[in-house]
Amino acid sequence: MMLEIPGFLTPEQAEQFRDALLRQEWHDGRNTAGHMAARAKNNRQLAADDPVAQQLSDFILGALGNNPLFLSSALPLKVVPPMFNRYEGGGTYGDHVDGAIRSVPGTPHRVRTDISCTLFLSEPDSYHGGELVVSDTYGRHAVKLKAGDMVLYPGTSLHHVTPVTRGVRLAAFFWVQSLVRDDTQRTMLFELDTAIQQLSADAPDNPAVLKLSGVYHNLLRQWSDT
């Protein structure tokens, strides 16, 4: 499932992120890429121990826990702390699939990358190119969202970022290990949860609400990894 979450950050918050990020020291993004990915990667990133990066990352983590759409769609178990990248001057990232396991910097913890997430921080009209292009069984999808909007997509997807030929593209990126490993099962649970919420709002006394909620939780119990 590929899902856009609009307004994850307010325009004011996104602007504050940009102002803080543009003042930091950026490093070659290939320093954090594996052997194959490094050949396709041409961007810059903030170091994981950069104090500003850590502060903004913590803010995103807190916001994730308060976003109902993220919680319902991702069913998060573990989240790799968000990192930040920068594309400009033709910077790009060719076709690749994200590594299956990510280590959490400074800890012994590892996370299975069920879901990849990109939080756009630059306004789309401030740079040329920079589309996130995701390929799946339904074709290729180009994504270039407003600052503060976020997109989630399966970590198994082949994807790339097109060259940024003008301006600067700033984004946060991170991965989620879900309670439910299988993307098809997660999608069904999300659609069922959405339908239950709609039915509950339209007819809160309908006995079907209780029955469907029971089905949802029993499926989650059956499919959950934990």
Side-chain angles (χ1 to χ4, degrees):
M1 176 177 61
M2 188 171 185
L3 179 69
E4 297 178 9
I5 299 181
F8 180 78
L9 297 179
T10 67
E12 293 77 18
Q13 289 170 336
E15 183 177 9
Q16 292 169 0
F17 269 58
R18 288 195 300 274
D19 289 344
L21 291 171
L22 288 171
R23 293 195 296 267
Q24 303 312 302
E25 180 180 356
W26 294 81
H27 305 276
D28 191 334
R30 288 172 291 191
N31 294 338
T32 61
H35 173 70
M36 292 297 295
R39 299 170 60 184
K41 191 174 186 180
N42 179 21
N43 67 6
R44 290 193 283 169
Q45 291 179 199
L46 286 188
D49 59 357
D50 181 283
V52 170
Q54 291 179 336
Q55 180 182 6
L56 298 180
S57 178
D58 288 345
F59 184 92
I60 294 172
L61 289 173
L64 291 173
N66 293 311
N67 189 284
L69 187 53
F70 171 78
L71 296 174
S72 176
S73 60
L75 295 172
L77 175 63
K78 301 177 184 177
V79 179
V80 177
M83 296 176 282
F84 300 89
N85 57 25
R86 174 176 180 157
Y87 291 83
E88 61 188 319
T92 184
Y93 199 160
D95 275 332
H96 64 284
V97 175
D98 292 335
I101 304 295
R102 297 285 304 194
S103 296
V104 178
T107 78
H109 304 300
R110 296 191 296 175
V111 177
R112 188 183 66 237
T113 58
D114 298 325
I115 302 169
S116 299
C117 309
T118 297
L119 172 60
F120 289 79
L121 297 173
S122 297
E123 293 296 351
D125 60 358
S126 70
Y127 60 98
H128 286 173
E131 291 86 0
L132 170 65
V133 182
V134 181
S135 300
D136 59 21
T137 55
Y138 300 102
R140 290 160 64 91
H141 313 277
V143 183
K144 186 175 180 179
L145 304 180
K146 294 192 301 183
D149 291 358
M150 184 165 64
V151 62
L152 280 58
Y153 56 98
T156 54
S157 301
L158 182 71
H159 57 282
H160 68 269
V161 177
T162 63
V164 174
T165 57
R166 180 184 67 81
V168 178
R169 177 194 190 269
L170 297 174
F173 62 100
F174 57 97
W175 295 272
V176 177
Q177 179 173 332
S178 177
L179 288 165
V180 177
R181 179 194 301 249
D182 185 82
D183 180 61
T184 300
Q185 293 173 343
R186 279 198 313 274
T187 300
M188 287 192 288
L189 285 169
F190 175 64
E191 291 175 347
L192 179 57
D193 187 29
T194 301
I196 292 170
Q197 292 183 48
Q198 185 62 57
L199 179 60
S200 180
D202 294 343
D205 297 325
N206 191 319
V209 174
L210 181 59
K211 291 182 179 179
L212 290 172
S213 296
V215 171
Y216 173 88
H217 286 286
N218 285 331
L219 286 174
L220 180 58
R221 184 177 293 111
Q222 180 177 341
W223 291 339
S224 174
D225 277 350
T226 185

